[in-house]
Amino acid sequence: MPIRIDNELPAKARLEMENIFVMSNERADTQDIRPLKIIILNLMPTKLETETQLLRLLSNSPLQVDVDFLQVISHEAKNVSKSHMDKFYYTFDEIKENRYDGMIITGAPVEHLEFEEVDYWDELCKIMEWSKKNVYSTWHICWGAQAGLYYHYGIKKYHLDKKMFGVFPHYSLDETHPLMRGLDDVYFVPHSRHTEIRRQDIAQIKDLQIISYSDVAGVHIVADMECRKFFITGHSEYDRDTLAKEYFRDKKKGLDIDIPYNYFPNDDDRLVPKMNWKGTANLLMYNWLNYFVYQKTPYDLNTL
């Protein structure tokens, strides 16, 4: 079913080439149905790639999804044109009176900084506080998950001795949880991070539940008991070559970077990586949209 985006968004052409049903605003306005309203706070420097990755997953649903993009004004995006940001992204002041069925907060390459040292931390806190009353369910990714757990629950992040980098096996800690529905006993998720959250810290918070875990990569998915906030430490949205791009970029810079775990066949970086996380990515996003956004959000968002 369709995802509704601006007809001129660059991701549209790529998605249509993949036979993903993308609907223009003009066509969507003629349908007698209320779409799910999703807002994406895109903190990644690779804005266009992240837009395409997330829109691809949001499209894998029998629901019409109306997507807005949000930026922080306290940080200037350096890897995308200002005209792109002005055309396709709202500022917080422009949407703060709106209400949304769901929200996605992406990761960001600022792990080396303490949260309060990030130049847009105050603005991000304002947005996360706003989301409590104006968004039904929020999906936090990687650093966005760590930031959300720290802001909402005071849970710290810890620096790793080596970068958690590769595609790791995971398993569910609660197979009855609707978010886990349909997942295999073992499923794979990419990770790319220098910090972690710890299981014992989360166990101290009665309102939180760890529902997905990896013996190698650690905590994967944390949910609050109302299932209105999800915190995901991995990157299921990644493309086949995303880790490869990071690896070769850092290698070219002469950085101390290990080959991504369980990624290149036979650990040979001349070979094309096998993508073994696509099904998991689609299923997780579909389950979130279905069980925790579509079936839970009131028809009239003003009653949130």
Side-chain angles (χ1 to χ4, degrees), residues 103-107 137-149 170 179-180 189-191 193 197 211-212 219-223 229-237 280-281 284-285 288:
M103 181 177 192
I104 297 173
I105 299 177
T106 73
S137 186
T138 303
W139 187 263
H140 307 71
I141 300 173
C142 199
W143 182 84
Q146 295 179 349
L149 286 167
H170 295 68
L179 190 68
M180 299 289 100
V189 177
H191 288 256
R193 50 187 168 82
I197 51 174
I211 58 177
S212 177
V219 175
H220 175 222
I221 300 177
V222 180
K229 294 190 287 290
F230 291 90
F231 308 92
I232 298 90
T233 63
H235 281 284
S236 294
E237 78 280 1
T280 295
L284 285 173
M285 186 61 71
W288 175 62

Side-chain angles (χ1 to χ4, degrees), residues 101-137:
D101 298 284
M103 181 177 192
I104 297 173
I105 299 177
T106 73
V110 291
E111 293 175 275
H112 60 290
L113 298 173
E114 296 301 320
F115 292 116
E116 292 84 359
E117 294 174 346
V118 176
D119 57 4
Y120 52 82
W121 177 248
D122 289 343
E123 186 177 2
L124 178 58
C125 290
K126 186 184 299 184
I127 292 169
M128 289 191 290
E129 185 64 28
W130 164 86
S131 72
K132 292 180 182 180
K133 294 183 178 180
N134 291 271
V135 178
Y136 188 80
S137 186

Side-chain angles (χ1 to χ4, degrees), residues 89-266:
Y89 281 72
Y90 292 103
T91 64
F92 178 61
D93 282 343
E94 291 173 325
I95 59 91
K96 65 184 181 182
E97 301 302 325
N98 297 350
R99 288 184 167 87
Y100 292 89
D101 298 284
M103 181 177 192
I104 297 173
I105 299 177
T106 73
V110 291
E111 293 175 275
H112 60 290
L113 298 173
E114 296 301 320
F115 292 116
E116 292 84 359
E117 294 174 346
V118 176
D119 57 4
Y120 52 82
W121 177 248
D122 289 343
E123 186 177 2
L124 178 58
C125 290
K126 186 184 299 184
I127 292 169
M128 289 191 290
E129 185 64 28
W130 164 86
S131 72
K132 292 180 182 180
K133 294 183 178 180
N134 291 271
V135 178
Y136 188 80
S137 186
T138 303
W139 187 263
H140 307 71
I141 300 173
C142 199
W143 182 84
Q146 295 179 349
L149 286 167
Y150 180 71
Y151 175 74
H152 292 294
Y153 301 100
I155 292 175
K156 297 188 296 183
K157 62 183 172 75
Y158 300 86
H159 289 274
L160 295 166
D161 293 333
K162 277 197 169 184
K163 184 178 184 178
M164 190 66 65
F165 191 43
V167 182
F168 300 93
H170 295 68
Y171 54 90
S172 173
L173 295 180
D174 183 359
E175 294 182 357
T176 66
H177 198 287
L179 190 68
M180 299 289 100
R181 182 181 178 188
L183 287 172
D184 294 329
D185 290 344
V186 178
Y187 40 91
F188 294 88
V189 177
H191 288 256
S192 178
R193 50 187 168 82
H194 294 275
T195 53
E196 67 175 354
I197 51 174
R198 294 182 178 169
R199 193 171 185 173
Q200 57 267 35
D201 291 345
I202 297 165
Q204 302 302 311
I205 309 297
K206 291 189 292 184
D207 188 44
L208 294 178
Q209 176 189 9
I210 302 171
I211 58 177
S212 177
Y213 193 79
S214 167
D215 290 333
V216 183
V219 175
H220 175 222
I221 300 177
V222 180
D224 72 342
M225 292 305 179
E226 283 189 293
C227 293
R228 293 190 63 176
K229 294 190 287 290
F230 291 90
F231 308 92
I232 298 90
T233 63
H235 281 284
S236 294
E237 78 280 1
Y238 270 6
D239 292 325
R240 180 192 306 273
D241 62 351
T242 304
L243 292 180
K245 289 178 179 178
E246 292 183 23
Y247 170 69
F248 289 120
R249 176 201 66 199
D250 290 352
K251 192 176 179 181
K252 185 176 181 180
K253 291 179 179 178
L255 300 178
D256 182 18
I257 181 72
D258 290 340
I259 194 166
Y261 176 85
N262 191 33
Y263 182 59
F264 292 110
N266 303 318

